Amino acid sequence: MELLTALSAPERDREDAVTVDGRSLSYEELAGAASAVASRVAGAPAVAVHATPTLETVIAVVGGLLAGVRVVPVPPDAGTAERAHILRDSGATLVLREAEDAGTDTYDGIETVPVRPGERGRFRAPLPDPEAIALTLYTSGTTGAPKGVQVSRRAVAADLDALADAWAWTADDTLAHGLPLFHVHGLVLGVLGALRTGSRLVHTGRPTPQAYAAAGGTLYFGVPTVWSRVAREPEAARALASARLLVSGSAPLPEPVFRDLAALTGQSPVERYGMTETLITVSARADGERRPACVGRPVAGVATRLVAEDGSPVPYDGATVGELLVGGPTLFDGYLGRPEATRAALTDDGFFRTGDMAVVEPDGTHRIVGRASTDLIKSGGYRIGAGEVESALLDHPAVAEAAVVGAPHPDLGQQIVAYVVADGVSEGELVAFVADRLSAHKRPRAVRFLDALPRNAMGKPVKKLLPPL
């Protein structure tokens, strides 16, 4: 199996090559269990996987890939309408899930196939075409039902090899994380990455600070919500001091959390950037500089551009905001069944329009400042990235969470509005605090205090769910 090379490297076999929530398999055992799955699903157009954080999910995904069948991860907490859409849109004809649940009719009548870690098989077939679709990953846009992102085996391999280079990721590592297994971060990087590099994998089940501290990793993956919780538990954070690399992604890491992790663990975290449609394309390197609020430079094989609204180039001056375009071998093969949406997402020469606004330093270091649709605020003739204002707010010791949006304003066009979770600080103090750190035109015009920000499963704030002013 050319994609997951560790499975065909018995000299590196370990009894606990893959551990999920305390249950372990060797590479040989994983290959045997996945082969049993592959024999049962071979020839299907697509198989859905009930993607719980379990060994069964790992076996199911590997079994589908071994058989050359398109794998469709389904969030275990998906509502009935979302699940029905994913199954119908993807064309999945089988659902893989834990054996004790496989007989239940919870997937709209589609046949379920039980996954048993103790089962063994020997699947033999020609290697799948590298251009074949490995995964259909569903991602929600601002409107309409989730779209199926078609990710090829070639794209997965190219991305994992580029990240192995950037992070010096080898078979000597132990990767530890507790991320969901239906996204790029937790599944592609966090499972397939380990099975390609040959590193030991420890999935903690729940991503608690205590679980991370006990995992014994040399390489850790986390999202900002996880890292902020770790930073609030100094004893757990100090236990990560022996790790080689702490990687953060899926959302911007607040600068106070960046600094706290550096102080507690003795190393600054690595931040990286990517999307479902592009995989991970920009990252700080293990052997390079790590700056707060920066996601580094393009990984090997990837090219980026920064453009204005009219498509003209934006200077790499560390100040001018533009939309980030991404090109290279890690890009998706289009949205399933949506050719018009695919064409709209790509430039004429094949670069993906990320919809993310960024600033690039003269040395090529990228800084993401927000989404064009929600985070580019046009106020008084200025273009302001919401992420920059959020970072400034989070620097205030009384602010635990912050989300910034633009709201209609009769004179300015848009005014900057901040939603914060904070204690013991007034609106005027926060406005003055931001104005003192950034340009005066970047200060919030209104501050709304909340008990918590609405967030999705990956810990990202969901701005469309913020209450109106």
Side-chain angles (χ1 to χ4, degrees), residues 291 297 306 315-320 359-367:
R291 306 177 197 169
R297 304 178 187 179
L306 209 59
Y316 286 12
D317 58 7
T320 307
V359 169
V360 181
E361 304 289 342
D363 67 357
T365 298
H366 290 51
R367 179 161 50 88

Side-chain angles (χ1 to χ4, degrees), residues 341-368:
T342 301
R343 284 193 293 271
L346 299 170
T347 64
D348 291 341
D349 58 350
F351 274 64
F352 180 74
R353 307 179 196 273
T354 68
D356 283 321
M357 308 307 294
V359 169
V360 181
E361 304 289 342
D363 67 357
T365 298
H366 290 51
R367 179 161 50 88
I368 308 299

Side-chain angles (χ1 to χ4, degrees), residues 39-188:
S39 297
R40 299 172 70 181
V41 305
V47 294
V49 176
H50 183 67
T52 55
T54 60
L55 272 179
E56 285 82 357
T57 293
V58 175
I59 294 165
V61 171
V62 173
L65 294 176
L66 182 63
V69 173
R70 183 163 50 88
V71 174
V72 184
V74 180
D77 61 349
T80 55
E82 179 184 2
R83 186 176 67 235
H85 167 73
I86 291 173
L87 293 172
R88 181 178 61 254
D89 188 72
S90 68
T93 57
L94 298 169
V95 177
L96 298 170
R97 62 183 309 170
E98 296 159 77
E100 58 268 28
D101 296 327
T104 60
D105 185 16
T106 57
Y107 275 86
D108 299 344
I110 295 178
E111 180 184 353
T112 56
V113 176
V115 178
R116 300 182 176 91
E119 194 172 7
R120 300 290 178 264
R122 293 180 62 84
F123 181 77
R124 293 288 181 268
L127 288 177
D129 184 346
E131 300 300 321
I133 300 302
L135 300 162
T136 300
L137 301 169
Y138 277 80
T139 183
S140 296
T142 54
T143 59
K147 298 189 290 290
V149 177
Q150 300 278 69
V151 181
S152 70
R153 302 171 74 92
R154 167 193 46 76
V156 172
D159 196 53
L160 295 177
D161 290 347
L163 294 176
D165 171 68
W167 299 340
W169 186 2
T170 72
D172 293 328
D173 279 306
T174 293
L175 169 62
H177 74 92
L179 302 174
L181 299 186
F182 49 89
H183 285 126
V184 167
H185 197 169
L187 178 61
V188 178

